C-alpha cells in the first residue's frame, strides 16, 4: 500500500500534509486509496491550561484507552472492525497518558459517509488534537470516516480491519508526529530514515545484525507517500508501509518499537504480530575478471547474475587469509568498489606490482543480508599481452555458415580484443596487412585490403610503442569470389516429365518452388511447380510439375540469379531460363508431328516396355505402343509448335533412338 500524499505535523509551523495509502485487492488491482487528513483548522495542540485541567497521568480508566465515538453510517460488523483495530493498538500501548479536556487517552470519531462513490477515496482519517511538547505531541483526538460505497467491498476482500488499523495508526501519530519529535532524517531525499533507538534495535534484529541500524522510510511516491511510512521495498506487507496488500498485513516489532520512540509509555513489544520477511538470502552468479592486465592498468569485474540486489560489493584479497573477510578493522580484505545497479565494475590496478591477485564479490539485499562470495583471479604483468585470435565479423562471413571461415567478401572486416589503447598490427601469413588501434576497452576492428581467392592465415600483434606482444592465434579464412554456374539442365519427356538441374557447386537446396517459374509460351500460361528434390550432394535439383503430364507446348523454366548463392555467398552467375518442348506424338522431339513420328509408332507397334520416344505417347504403365498412341499421332498430325520467344540460357540438343529424351546442356 503506497501513500502518495502524506501528512505530518510540524508544530512549529503548524504544517500538515495529506497521506495517501493504496489498497491492493486479492487480484493485485488497486481498490482505491485512504488518506490521512487534518480537518479545517488543523491539529489543535493542547495549551498548558488544558493539560493542567486534565487529571495527572494514571487518572481515568487504567491503561491506555482508545474511545470510539460512532457518529453514524456504519453497520454493526463495520463498527466491530473499528473495535478490532483499536484492540490491536491497545494490546501494544499499555501506559496511561494525561487526560486532555476529559479525554482519556484518545477519542476517535468514526463514521460512514458518502465521499466519492465506488473506488478512488475509500476513507479518510487523521489526528485533530495533540498534546503539548512535554508529552511529545501525542494525539488525544482524531477522526476516521469511510465511504459507505466502498465499505462492503473492503469487508468482502477481508481488508477492512487492516485498512482501519493502518489509518488508526496515523491518527495515533505513526508518520504524522515523526517530524515534530525529530525522529526522521533525510526527508525528501533518496534515503529517508527513522532514527528512534527502539525501532533501530528491532530493525537490526530483523535483518540479522547486532548493530543498531537506521530504519528505511519510504523514498518513493508523492509528498504524502514518502517520509511517512516504512519503505515498501524493504517491508513489503508490513501494516505501516504505503500499501495495504491482500493477505495478512502484520504489525511488526519495528512499528511497535517506534511507539516507544514517539513517547508512548509502557509499550509491550511482545504484542507485535508475527512478521516474516519475504526476502531470502540473495544469490550470486559467477564472478568473471579480465584474466591478464598490465601494470598500472585496470581490471573489469563482472557477475553473470545476481538476485535481490540492494548493492554489490567487490573486494581485493589483502589480509592473506583465504576467502573473503568483509568485516573488522585490521583483518578485513580491501573494499575496491560498490555498485547499486548493473553487474560490472572497473577497478584501477594502479600501484600494484606484477603478480597474481584474487578479487571477491558479494551481494547485499535491502535487509543487509549478504550472499555467499564468489572469487576470480587476475594476473598483472609488466609486458604487453598478445591480442586475441582475430575473428571474421558477421557482416563479412557470407554464405551458408557463420563459422566455416568461407566468404565471398575479399575485403573482410576482422575484429578482436587486446591490450587497452594499443596499436594492433595484422598479418596474412608473414605479410603485413595493415594496422588499427584498440579502444579503452581493448576492442579493435580492421577492414582488410583486397585478398586473393584461396586460404589466408590472419594473425595480430599488439604494441604500446615500447613493448611488442607475441603473436595471437591464427584465423583461417577462405576467400572465394567465383560465381556458381548451372552446368546442365535435362528435361525427361520419356517418363517423368521433370527437369533436372545440375550445378557446379552444392547450392541446389536454394532452388525452391517459390523461386521457379514454368511458363507455357505457346499458351502464355504459367504451370505450377509440384516439388523440388535434391541429390548428388546437393549439386542436383529435380523439379516436377502440376499437372503431372504437361499439355502440348513450348516451355521455359526460369529462376532469377539473386537468392541463389554458393557456400561462400556468391550469387548464381546469371538468371536461368531452360527451354524445352512437350508435344504428344512427337517421338523424335523436333517440335512437329509428321510421318517420321508415325514410322516410330509403326516400328514399335504392339510392343511393350517402350518410352515416349518409342511411341508410348500416353505413358502406359506397361509401355505398350497400341492404337491409343496411333490415335494421338493422328490427332496431332502436322501440328508444329512455334519457336519460343524466350531464349534458353542453355542450348537444346536432341538424341534419337530408344530411350531418348530432350537434353538441355
Amino acid at each position: 500500500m503506497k501513500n502518495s500524499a502524506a501528512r505530518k505535523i510540524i508544530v512549529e509551523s503548524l504544517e500538515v500534509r495529506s497521506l495517501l495509502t493504496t489498497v491492493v485487492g486479492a487480484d493485485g488491482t488497486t481498490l482505491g486509496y485512504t488518506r490521512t487528513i487534518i480537518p479545517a483548522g488543523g491539529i489543535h495542540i493542547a495549551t498548558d491550561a488544558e493539560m493542567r485541567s486534565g487529571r495527572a497521568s494514571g487518572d481515568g480508566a487504567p491503561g491506555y484507552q482508545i474511545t470510539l465515538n460512532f457518529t453514524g453510517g456504519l453497520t454493526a460488523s463495520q463498527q466491530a472492525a473499528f473495535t478490532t483495530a483499536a484492540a490491536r493498538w491497545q494490546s501494544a500501548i499499555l501506559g496511561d497518558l494525561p487526560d486532555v479536556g476529559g479525554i482519556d487517552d484518545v477519542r476517535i470519531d468514526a463514521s460512514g459517509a458518502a465521499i466519492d462513490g465506488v473506488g478512488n477515496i475509500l476513507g479518510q482519517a487523521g489526528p485533530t488534537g495533540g498534546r503539548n511538547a512535554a508529552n511529545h505531541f501525542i494525539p488525544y483526538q482524531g477522526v476516521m470516516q469511510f465511504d459507505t460505497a466502498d465499505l462492503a467491498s473492503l469487508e468482502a476482500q477481508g481488508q477492512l480491519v487492516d485498512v482501519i488499523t493502518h489509518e488508526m495508526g496515523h491518527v495515533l501519530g505513526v508518520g504524522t508526529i515523526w517530524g515534530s519529535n525529530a525522529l526522521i532524517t533525510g526527508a525528501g531525499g533518496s534515503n529517508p530514515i527513522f532514527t528512534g533507538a527502539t525501532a533501530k534495535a528491532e530493525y537490526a534484529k530483523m535483518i540479522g545484525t547486532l548493530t543498531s541500524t537506521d530504519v528505511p522510510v519510504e523514498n518513493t511516491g508523492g509528498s504524502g507517500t514518502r517520509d511517512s511510512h516504512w519503505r515498501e521495498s524493504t517491508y513489503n506487507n508490513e501494516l505501516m508501509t504505503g500499501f495495504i496488500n491482500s493477505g495478512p498485513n502484520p504489525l511488526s516489532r519495528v512499528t511497535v518499537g517506534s511507539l516507544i520512540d514517539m513517547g508512548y509509555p509502557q509499550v509491550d513489544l511482545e504484542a507485535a504480530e508475527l512478521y516474516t520477511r519475504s526476502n531470502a538470502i540473495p544469490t550470486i552468479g559467477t564472478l568473471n575478471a579480465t584474466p591478464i592486465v598490465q601494470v598500472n592498468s585496470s581490471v573489469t569485474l563482472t557477475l553473470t547474475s545476481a538476485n535481490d540486489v540492494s548493492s554489490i560489493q567487490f573486494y581485493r584479497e589483502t589480509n592473506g587469509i583465504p576467502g573473503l573477510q568483509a568485516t573488522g578493522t585490521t583483518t578485513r580484505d580491501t573494499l575496491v568498489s560498490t555498485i547499486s545497479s548493473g553487474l560490472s565494475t572497473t577497478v584501477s590496478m594502479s600501484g600494484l606490482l606484477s603478480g597474481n591477485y584474487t578479487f571477491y564479490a558479494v551481494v547485499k539485499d535491502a535487509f543487509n543480508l549478504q550472499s555467499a562470495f564468489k572469487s576470480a583471479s587476475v594476473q598483472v604483468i609488466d609486458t604487453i599481452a598478445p591480442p586475441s585470435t582475430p575473428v571474421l565479423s558477421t557482416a563479412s562471413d557470407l554464405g551458408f555458415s557463420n563459422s566455416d571461415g568461407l566468404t565471398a567478401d575479399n575485403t573482410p572486416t576482422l575484429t578482436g580484443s587486446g591490450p587497452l589503447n594499443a596499436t594492433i598490427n595484422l598479418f596474412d601469413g608473414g605479410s603485413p596487412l595493415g594496422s588499427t588501434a584498440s579502444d579503452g576497452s581493448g576492442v579493435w576492428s580492421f577492414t582488410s585490403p583486397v585478398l586473393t581467392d584461396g586460404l589466408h592465415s590472419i594473425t595480430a600483434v599488439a604494441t604500446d610503442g615500447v613493448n611488442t606482444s607475441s603473436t595471437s592465434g591464427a584465423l583461417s579464412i577462405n576467400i572465394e569470389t567465383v560465381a556458381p554456374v548451372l552446368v546442365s539442365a535435362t528435361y525427361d519427356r520419356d517418363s517423368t516429365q521433370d527437369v533436372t538441374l545440375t550445378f557446379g557447386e552444392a547450392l541446389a537446396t536454394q532452388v525452391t518452388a517459390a523461386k521457379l517459374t514454368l511458363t507455357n509460351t505457346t499458351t502464355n500460361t504459367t504451370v505450377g511447380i509440384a516439388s523440388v528434390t535434391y541429390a548428388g550432394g546437393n549439386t542436383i535439383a529435380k523439379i516436377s510439375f502440376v499437372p503431372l503430364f504437361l499439355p502440348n507446348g513450348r516451355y521455359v523454366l526460369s529462376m532469377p540469379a539473386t537468392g541463389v548463392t554458393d557456400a561462400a555467398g556468391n550469387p548464381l552467375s546469371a538468371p536461368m531460363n531452360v527451354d524445352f518442348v512437350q508435344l504428344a506424338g512427337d517421338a523424335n522431339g523436333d517440335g512437329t508431328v509428321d510421318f517420321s513420328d508415325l514410322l516410330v509408332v509403326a516400328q514399335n507397334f504392339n510392343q511393350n516396355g517402350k518410352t515416349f520416344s518409342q511411341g508410348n505417347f500416353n505413358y502406359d504403365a506397361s509401355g505398350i505402343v497400341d492404337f491409343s498412341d496411333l490415335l494421338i499421332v493422328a490427332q496431332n498430325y502436322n501440328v508444329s509448335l512455334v519457336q519460343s520467344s524466350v531464349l534458353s540460357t542453355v542450348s537444346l540438343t536432341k538424341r534419337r533412338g530408344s530411350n531418348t529424351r530432350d537434353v538441355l546442356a
Side-chain angles (χ1 to χ4, degrees):
M1 158 195 225
K2 206 154 251 178
N3 299 335
S4 113
R7 173 173 294 209
K8 76 179 181 183
I9 306 170
I10 300 179
V11 174
E12 293 77 2
S13 62
L14 298 179
E15 175 189 350
V16 178
R17 293 178 292 117
S18 174
L19 309 176
L20 283 183
T21 299
T22 304
V23 181
V24 179
D27 61 356
T29 60
T30 297
L31 299 180
Y33 307 89
T34 61
R35 60 185 179 186
T36 302
I37 53 97
I38 301 301
I43 299 175
H44 175 72
I45 303 301
T47 65
D48 290 343
E50 288 172 319
M51 293 299 299
R52 284 194 298 270
S53 68
R55 290 168 292 179
S57 178
D59 290 343
Y64 183 77
Q65 304 296 320
I66 298 176
T67 301
L68 296 171
N69 179 33
F70 296 114
T71 60
L74 298 172
T75 66
S77 64
Q78 292 160 1
Q79 291 181 20
F82 275 86
T83 302
T84 299
R88 290 173 77 179
W89 289 109
Q90 287 180 158
S91 68
I93 306 172
L94 305 179
D96 193 23
L97 288 165
D99 297 352
V100 179
I103 297 176
D104 176 31
D105 291 276
V106 64
R107 185 187 70 202
I108 300 175
D109 297 326
S111 65
I115 298 177
D116 62 359
V118 176
N120 200 21
I121 301 301
L122 309 178
Q124 50 196 19
T128 57
R131 290 172 173 80
N132 60 13
N135 289 276
H136 309 286
F137 309 108
I138 293 175
Y140 66 87
Q141 66 181 8
V143 62
M144 296 181 69
Q145 184 183 72
F146 283 82
D147 195 336
T148 52
D150 296 307
L151 282 167
S153 64
L154 286 174
E155 282 188 283
Q157 292 274 345
Q159 293 181 286
L160 183 59
V161 170
D162 280 344
V163 171
I164 293 173
T165 306
H166 177 97
E167 287 304 318
M168 193 175 289
H170 286 315
V171 172
L172 300 183
V174 177
T176 53
I177 65 172
W178 287 353
S180 301
N181 288 294
L183 292 171
I184 183 171
T185 63
S190 62
N191 187 34
I193 55 175
F194 185 86
T195 59
T198 307
K200 288 172 62 174
E202 292 303 321
Y203 177 65
K205 295 175 186 176
M206 182 189 299
I207 64 175
T209 178
L210 299 178
T211 304
S212 179
T213 305
D214 292 328
V215 185
V217 173
E218 187 56 72
N219 60 356
T220 61
S223 60
T225 302
R226 58 181 301 118
D227 303 333
S228 306
H229 299 84
W230 305 133
R231 195 170 299 173
E232 175 73 16
S233 62
T234 299
Y235 293 92
N236 192 15
N237 65 327
E238 207 275 348
L239 180 69
M240 296 309 296
T241 66
F243 276 91
I244 292 293
N245 302 285
S246 60
N249 291 268
L251 183 66
S252 72
R253 289 176 69 93
V254 172
T255 298
V256 175
S258 73
L259 298 172
I260 298 174
D261 299 324
M262 286 187 288
Y264 279 95
Q266 299 180 44
V267 174
D268 183 9
L269 283 167
E270 299 307 315
E273 297 160 353
L274 178 63
Y275 171 71
T276 302
R277 291 174 291 115
S278 60
N279 299 56
I281 297 295
T283 60
I284 186 172
T286 301
L287 177 63
N288 295 320
T290 310
I292 301 175
V293 298
Q294 292 179 261
V295 168
N296 295 324
S297 63
S298 60
V299 62
T300 298
L301 307 172
T302 304
L303 284 173
T304 57
S305 62
N307 292 324
D308 299 330
V309 178
S310 176
S311 66
I312 302 175
Q313 295 178 331
F314 297 88
Y315 293 82
R316 188 177 75 248
E317 171 64 55
T318 54
N319 66 1
I321 303 172
L324 172 62
Q325 287 77 46
T327 59
T329 55
T330 60
T331 59
R332 67 179 180 181
D333 294 307
T334 301
L335 178 67
V336 294
S337 179
T338 300
I339 60 175
S340 57
S341 63
L343 296 172
S344 182
T345 188
T346 299
V347 177
S348 173
M349 303 292 280
S350 179
L352 297 181
L353 300 176
S354 60
N356 294 315
Y357 294 85
T358 299
F359 288 86
Y360 304 105
V362 290
V363 171
K364 289 189 174 182
D365 65 9
F367 296 98
N368 209 32
L369 295 177
Q370 181 174 297
S371 71
F373 71 83
K374 293 299 175 71
S375 63
S377 296
V378 176
Q379 182 183 8
V380 177
I381 59 174
D382 57 8
T383 58
I384 190 169
S388 63
T389 300
V391 175
L392 185 62
S393 72
T394 301
S396 289
D397 196 354
L398 308 178
F400 299 163
S401 170
N402 286 333
S403 59
D404 60 1
L406 177 63
T407 181
D409 185 356
N410 61 358
T411 58
T413 296
L414 310 167
T415 63
S417 60
L420 312 185
N421 302 311
T423 298
I424 308 298
N425 296 309
L426 281 300
F427 298 86
D428 180 8
S431 302
L433 280 179
S435 64
T436 186
S438 61
D439 62 17
S441 299
V443 176
W444 59 266
S445 177
F446 174 78
T447 299
S448 169
V450 175
L451 300 178
T452 59
D453 280 18
L455 290 172
H456 298 265
S457 180
I458 310 299
T459 56
V461 173
T463 177
D464 60 6
V466 177
N467 303 301
T468 300
S469 74
S470 57
T471 302
S472 71
L475 167 68
S476 179
I477 57 176
N478 188 1
I479 306 296
E480 181 189 320
T481 59
V482 178
V485 296
L486 175 64
V487 175
S488 65
T490 303
Y491 171 58
D492 183 0
R493 65 188 180 89
D494 276 340
S495 57
T496 58
Q497 285 197 351
D498 53 31
V499 171
T500 299
L501 305 176
T502 302
F503 298 92
E505 301 178 56
L507 47 77
T509 56
Q510 296 183 72
V511 178
T512 62
K515 297 175 184 177
L516 294 165
T517 302
L518 179 64
T519 303
N520 184 332
T521 59
T522 301
T523 61
N524 197 28
T525 57
T526 301
V527 179
I529 307 298
S531 65
V532 182
T533 57
Y534 312 108
N538 292 332
T539 61
I540 297 173
K542 180 175 286 189
I543 300 99
S544 59
F545 309 107
V546 179
L548 178 61
F549 300 126
L550 297 175
N552 291 344
R554 287 190 176 274
Y555 291 88
V556 174
L557 179 65
S558 59
M559 181 178 68
T562 57
V564 180
T565 66
D566 62 13
N570 296 294
L572 196 63
S573 58
M576 182 192 75
N577 291 294
V578 176
D579 203 14
F580 63 91
V581 175
Q582 175 64 35
L583 176 59
D586 181 17
N588 59 10
D590 61 2
T592 301
V593 179
D594 52 18
F595 182 76
S596 61
D597 303 301
L598 181 61
L599 184 60
V600 170
V601 173
Q603 291 172 339
N604 295 289
F605 203 74
N606 280 336
Q607 298 182 41
N608 59 15
K610 300 302 179 179
T611 67
F612 183 98
S613 300
Q614 296 169 321
N616 181 24
F617 303 129
N618 58 1
Y619 298 98
D620 287 342
S622 62
I624 296 176
V625 179
D626 54 17
F627 181 77
S628 61
D629 301 299
L630 182 61
L631 184 60
I632 290 172
V633 173
Q635 290 171 339
N636 292 310
Y637 202 77
N638 282 335
V639 171
S640 180
L641 296 179
V642 297
Q643 177 65 42
S644 170
S645 61
V646 180
L647 295 179
S648 174
T649 56
V650 292
S651 59
L652 174 65
T653 61
K654 301 184 181 67
R655 294 179 299 171
R656 292 184 175 83
S658 64
N659 270 340
T660 61
R661 61 182 182 178
D662 289 348
V663 178
L664 304 169

